[in-house]
């Protein structure tokens, strides 16, 4: 069966992008990374993608008159590569409503909190400030409402006494790198559906869409 072609959007480091690339290189993985688009020329992730020969494109948001015109060019870049799923991986631009509507049900994001808690920016600091004992990450479909689309899977980690934004971020990030490839696999296998604004995943073991890590 033909592999699902995934287009990744990044703005920076690209460690989630790298995790998806690594997964796609494993035998039997049902998706391939068709291209990586960055809105920033200096995104470190671009070099990592180029080194392994993945097509990359920089589409700087600067110089665009509005969000939608930028979004339409990003979309065209993905369509050129026959992309069937857009995965946001640390893409730090708010999209116009056009993009998530055009890619409805075909665009996912990873966010470093257990949504709907702590949307937006400085997410891990928000969790620390709130004093929660558990945080984590969420993979969800993207809708025009920021960080609010149907939740597909989550990974939970403890928040430990003495945690800083850095230590908590690192603990969550390790789970992000496990969760994102898992969700892309399920999507490529055609297991994920959306009904009534909620996502469901067919034929996976009970609880498989929630990872727990007690590691410090
Ligand atoms: C990740 O923690 C990701 O969840 C977060 O940015 C980081 C990107 O790291 N995304 C968001 O906050 C989106 N709202 P990476 O570039 O190394 O993948």
């Amino acid at each position: 069966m033909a592999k699902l072609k995934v287009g990744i959007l990044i703005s920076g480091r690209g460690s989630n992008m790298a995790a998806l690339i690594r997964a796609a290189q494993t035998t039997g993985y049902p998706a391939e990374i068709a291209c990586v688009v960055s809105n920033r020329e200096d995104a470190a992730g671009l070099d990592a993608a180029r080194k392994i020969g993945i097509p990359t494109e920089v589409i700087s948001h600067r110089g665009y008159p509005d969000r939608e015109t930028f979004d339409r060019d990003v979309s065209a870049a993905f369509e050129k590569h026959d992309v069937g799923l857009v995965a946001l991986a640390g893409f730090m631009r708010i999209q116009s409503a056009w993009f998530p509507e055009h890619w409805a049900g075909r665009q996912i994001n990873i966010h470093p909190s257990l949504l709907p808690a702590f949307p937006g920016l400085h997410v891990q600091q928000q969790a620390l400030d709130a004093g929660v004992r558990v945080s984590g990450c969420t993979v969800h479909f993207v809708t025009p409402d920021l960080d609010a689309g149907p939740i597909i899977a989550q990974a939970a980690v403890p928040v430990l006494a003495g945690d800083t934004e850095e230590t908590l971020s690192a603990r969550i990030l390790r789970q992000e790198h496990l969760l994102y490839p898992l969700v892309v696999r399920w999507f490529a296998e055609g297991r994920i559906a959306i009904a009534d604004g909620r996502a469901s995943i067919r034929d996976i073991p009970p609880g498989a869409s929630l990872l727990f890590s007690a590691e410090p």
Side-chain angles (χ1 to χ4, degrees), residues 3 5 15-16 18 46 48 52 57-58 60 64 71 75 79 96 100 105 109 128 164-166 182-183 197 207 216:
K3 291 189 176 202
K5 292 183 194 295
S15 73
N16 278 291
L46 281 172
I52 29 188
E57 206 160 318
V58 176
S60 172
Y64 276 91
D71 284 350
S75 187
E79 272 154 8
S96 64
N109 178 43
L128 291 172
T164 61
E165 196 176 356
E166 288 68 36
L182 200 58
V183 171

Side-chain angles (χ1 to χ4, degrees), residues 12-17 89-92 109-112 120 123-124 147 173 176-177:
R13 182 178 52 185
S15 73
N16 278 291
M17 171 208 77
F91 180 62
M92 302 314 262
N109 178 43
I110 188 154
H111 181 82
V123 173
Q124 298 89 344
D147 299 329
L173 195 64
E176 295 186 40
H177 296 164

Side-chain angles (χ1 to χ4, degrees), residues 9-19 45 88-93 109-113 115 118-124 136-138 140 146-147 169 172-173 176-177 180:
L9 254 174
I10 62 169
S11 295
R13 182 178 52 185
S15 73
N16 278 291
M17 171 208 77
L88 304 184
F91 180 62
M92 302 314 262
R93 287 277 305 165
N109 178 43
I110 188 154
H111 181 82
S113 76
L115 290 170
F118 316 129
L121 294 175
H122 306 293
V123 173
Q124 298 89 344
C137 55
T138 302
H140 63 94
L146 186 68
D147 299 329
S169 300
I172 293 172
L173 195 64
E176 295 186 40
H177 296 164
Y180 218 3

